[in-house]
Every structure is written in structure tokens, then in C-alpha cells.
Amino acid sequence: MDLKLKGKRALVTGGSKGIGRACAEVLAAEGCIVLVAARNPQSGPNAKAIDLSQRGAAEALAGWAGELDSLVGNAGAMTGSDRRR
């Protein structure tokens, strides 16, 4: 599929696993320059470990990411009390 994303810059938060990682992989396959922010990202120049729950983290992330064409806001946290089984 050609979504006309070649050369566009995309940031995927929570992109080191699960849905975020899948989004990052599809965007990269479409030719995007993909930046991944996560607490435990894969190593590489386009990955940054950042905890968005910390004060000032969003501003730091914006400075690192620069100008973007797309954002996949997939960051989240689940505490022990949120797990119901």
C-alpha cells in the first residue's frame, strides 16, 4: 500500500512493543522517518528512552523530535490495580 508517506517524519510514543511497535514498523515500511519514544526503546539513533509522566518530559521530547508530519500517541501505563482477571 502506498500512503504517500515517503520521507515524512513520524513520532510513535510507546513504540517499543505491541501496537506502538507495529505502528512504527508499518510507518517505516511506508518510507517514513520514524522516531520512537518509549521507556525501553530498541537501540538506535531514532529511539529515545523517556518517561512521559515526568514533569518537562513532553517538552524534552518535542525538542528531540523536532518538526513532525505525524504523531502516534500510544504511550500509556497500567498499574497493578488496573489488571483485572
Side-chain angles (χ1 to χ4, degrees):
M1 165 181 357
D2 183 6
L3 298 175
K4 311 253 188 271
L5 297 174
K6 186 172 181 154
K8 302 288 185 180
R9 290 173 51 88
L11 171 64
V12 180
T13 62
S16 64
K17 58 186 175 180
I19 294 170
R21 183 173 179 160
C23 289
E25 289 173 354
V26 169
L27 289 167
E30 287 292 322
C32 277
I33 300 162
V34 180
L35 303 156
V36 173
R39 288 186 201 152
N40 299 303
Q42 304 296 324
S43 62
N46 295 335
K48 182 172 183 71
I50 191 161
D51 183 351
L52 290 173
S53 69
Q54 300 300 309
R55 183 181 303 268
E59 293 82 358
L61 179 60
W64 172 72
E67 293 289 322
L68 296 173
D69 297 296
S70 300
L71 168 66
V72 177
N74 182 61
M78 183 164 42
T79 64
S81 63
D82 291 337
R83 295 185 187 134
R84 296 184 181 127
R85 289 208 173 197

